[in-house]
Amino acid sequence: MRVLPPAARGYILCAVLAASACAVPALLRPAATPWAAVAVLAVLYAGCELVKVCPPAGRRVPEGIGSFFPVLLAAVFLLPPAAAALVAMPGGYAATVTDPPVRVRRVWHAAQQALAAWTAGQVYGLLNGPATLGAGPVGRTGPPDPVGRIADFPYALLPAAAAAVAFCLVLTALEAGVLAAAERRSAASVRRGPPAAALALVPHCVHGLAGLMMAVLWRSPYGLPAALLVLLPMYISCWVFAQYHREHAAHRATIRALVQAVDIKDRYTRGHSERVGQASAMIARELGMAGERLEVVRIAGILHDVGKLGVPTRLLRKDGPLTPEERRVIELHPEYGHEIVRGIGFLGEARSAILHHHERIDGSGYPYGLAGAQIPELARVVAVADAFDAMTSTRSYSRARPVPAALAELERCAGAQFDPAMVSALADAIARHGWHPVVTSDEDLQVIPAGDTGNAGAAGHAGAAGHAGNSGNSANSADSGDGAARAPAAAGQRPVPAGESGRRRGGGGGGGRG
């Protein structure tokens, strides 16, 4: 986003104007604004953000620690909405920004957080939240007010939680809007915002609880010093959370490095791993998998061919049929893959999918000839996703087949080579969402919209339907890996199940070279 399109500039300008309008009442009515508390909270919030930008000498603040919202939410609970918006601006502008344009992004963060704080303050006021904190003045550091009341628990939690939820939703909605304007994202991509907001609600509610604790202690006889004590455990918890995110980033980097190594070695199928991961996730989601297990399925699809690193490059790039000896070497790649990832603990169940993704339901697959339910569920998912992508992307030795023809071939082989439930799940997912590959490095890779799977003619795929309908051509055989026979069969030869041509002609049982 080095150069912002006009739509994004207009969107950000509108946000800045709206944030300014929210903060102006505090400036127009200075007598009604507790300026001492505004100054303390603004400096405190900006200081928490600057600690990440300019950490003390010799210290390193973990990446991904995010904005420190407890102070800002405490301002929402303690101050009028306009004053809370003022508190948000310095800290929002001081937030960590790494991508250009830096200044524009800082202004955007300041406006975004000011709008969210103002909205949260309005929600908190509508639910009579200020009255639940007691009657003592904000920022008192001297003796307690004899007419002050203690906080009204547990009712005080309700307006605080509602304000935290409003704060989160406004941040998420504004972020979705600026992404749509700045990156020209599709409507379908922007609609992913509500689930993201649901995931973000938990940390925002925790920040809201910490902000409420700060506000209650500030209004207590102990005043500001007691309120500041809340920050230390909260900052430590944020640091631990950042370490968790850093570990996940390391996991993603490990997976990315393995996939890049495979792509470099087998240039014929570059991009295949990511697409198999995408199709595997579509199947898993259709089967009702979610959360961590859905991510494991996606990783298993991405890494299913990592064992190619142990296969001689000359075999992966061979244009002609494989000899029986070469076929046996190719068939070792699932075991090679399992050995490569054996010590990577976070992969969990994905390891079994890597080992068994060439097993067949009828027991004729490899490496162990497992049958039916003996094959791990994730391996059955990956097998279908692998075959689907192999059929629908063009290789140096075969043309892409239309998506409907590939799905028909999978259905024909369901029960023998593939699990019928997985085939049905893929067909349903594509009918509902379409097929939009995340990586399209192969030539003539197909992209189809939802509900268009019945159209056998894909634009830009001249001759693909002819390949699909020619039972004597090796392109008619789905190789549930990355290689089918690289020479056509004799005219008139009977059709064979998906992947079987690879075994007969040197591609390896149930999957050719993949």
Side-chain angles (χ1 to χ4, degrees):
M1 202 169 73
R2 292 181 181 275
V3 179
L4 286 175
R9 292 181 182 273
Y11 186 91
I12 293 174
L13 178 60
C14 289
V16 170
L17 293 176
S20 301
C22 291
V24 160
L27 302 174
L28 296 180
R29 295 193 298 271
T33 302
W35 288 107
V38 170
V40 169
L41 288 167
V43 170
L44 192 58
Y45 181 47
C48 290
E49 295 298 319
L50 286 172
V51 165
K52 298 178 298 182
V53 180
C54 307
R59 303 286 182 180
R60 183 184 177 192
V61 177
E63 297 175 4
I65 198 169
S67 293
F68 199 65
F69 289 138
V71 176
L72 182 52
L73 288 169
V76 169
F77 303 145
L78 289 167
L79 305 173
L86 282 177
V87 170
M89 290 180 178
Y93 189 83
T96 304
V97 174
T98 56
D99 298 326
V102 173
R103 186 169 298 177
V104 175
R105 286 178 181 269
R106 290 185 184 279
V107 171
W108 159 249
H109 287 317
Q112 181 189 27
Q113 293 182 22
L115 287 171
W118 182 86
T119 305
Q122 294 291 344
V123 171
Y124 191 67
L126 287 174
L127 295 177
N128 202 28
T132 66
L133 297 182
V138 176
R140 180 184 57 238
T141 56
D145 187 338
V147 299
R149 296 186 295 107
I150 61 172
D152 185 9
F153 282 102
Y155 179 75
L157 296 173
L158 176 60
V165 170
F167 183 84
C168 174
L169 293 179
V170 171
L171 285 179
T172 304
L174 290 172
E175 191 70 24
V178 78
L179 286 175
E183 300 180 6
R184 298 182 178 90
R185 292 194 177 188
S186 64
S189 175
V190 174
R191 280 199 297 270
R192 296 188 184 121
L199 293 175
L201 280 177
V202 174
H204 280 88
C205 286
V206 173
H207 286 176
L209 179 60
L212 180 63
M213 292 170 60
M214 282 191 66
V216 170
L217 289 173
W218 192 314
R219 288 284 184 90
S220 75
Y222 305 102
L224 177 60
L228 295 179
L229 293 178
V230 177
L231 295 181
L232 181 59
M234 269 306 295
Y235 198 85
I236 291 174
S237 67
C238 288
W239 187 87
V240 172
F241 190 67
Q243 294 291 345
Y244 171 79
H245 277 283
R246 177 181 289 177
E247 182 180 355
H248 272 263
H251 294 171
R252 290 193 295 271
T254 300
I255 294 170
R256 200 159 47 242
L258 289 171
V259 171
Q260 288 175 348
V262 174
D263 285 348
I264 290 172
K265 184 162 187 173
D266 188 4
R267 62 175 182 264
Y268 289 133
T269 57
R270 192 161 297 167
H272 169 69
S273 297
E274 289 87 349
R275 294 194 300 271
V276 172
Q278 180 184 2
S280 297
M282 291 175 67
I283 295 172
R285 195 176 291 111
E286 197 69 26
L287 294 173
M289 300 183 194
E292 184 175 345
R293 195 151 194 256
L294 179 62
E295 180 64 11
V296 170
V297 174
R298 189 185 69 83
I299 293 174
I302 291 174
L303 293 180
H304 74 286
D305 272 345
V306 70
K308 285 181 177 181
L309 295 174
V311 176
T313 304
R314 63 179 179 82
L315 299 184
L316 296 176
R317 298 185 179 183
K318 185 175 180 180
D319 290 329
L322 299 175
T323 66
E325 292 76 16
E326 291 171 336
R327 172 175 58 82
R328 283 191 287 271
V329 173
I330 289 286
E331 290 180 355
L332 291 174
H333 83 270
E335 295 173 276
Y336 289 156
H338 186 261
E339 287 301 314
I340 289 172
V341 302
R342 180 190 293 274
I344 305 179
F346 70 86
L347 291 180
E349 197 178 356
R351 293 193 292 267
S352 65
I354 293 170
L355 178 62
H356 296 294
H357 72 277
H358 278 300
E359 305 284 4
R360 293 167 54 112
I361 295 298
D362 60 11
S364 63
Y366 64 88
Y368 300 129
L370 302 184
Q374 294 177 327
I375 305 172
E377 183 180 27
L378 267 60
R380 285 177 271 150
V381 170
V382 173
V384 172
D386 192 11
F388 172 74
D389 183 71
M391 284 189 286
T392 55
S393 55
T394 293
R395 308 296 162 84
S396 63
Y397 47 85
S398 65
R399 291 283 292 172
R401 301 173 62 179
V403 167
L407 293 175
E409 182 71 5
L410 291 173
E411 291 173 359
R412 186 176 71 82
C413 298
Q417 181 172 352
F418 306 114
D419 186 331
M422 309 304 173
V423 174
S424 177
L426 178 62
D428 291 344
I430 291 177
R432 183 176 293 111
H433 305 293
W435 174 237
H436 306 276
V438 290
V439 178
T440 57
S441 61
D442 290 325
E443 294 180 1
D444 295 336
L445 193 69
Q446 297 178 74
V447 179
I448 66 169
D452 199 33
T453 55
N455 184 4
H461 292 273
H467 282 296
N470 182 3
S471 62
N473 192 302
S474 63
N476 188 45
S477 300
D479 66 308
S480 55
D482 293 341
R486 305 214 176 174
Q493 187 175 18
R494 69 175 179 85
V496 293
E500 191 170 327
S501 63
R503 290 199 314 281
R504 293 182 178 179
R505 299 173 187 139
R513 305 188 184 186

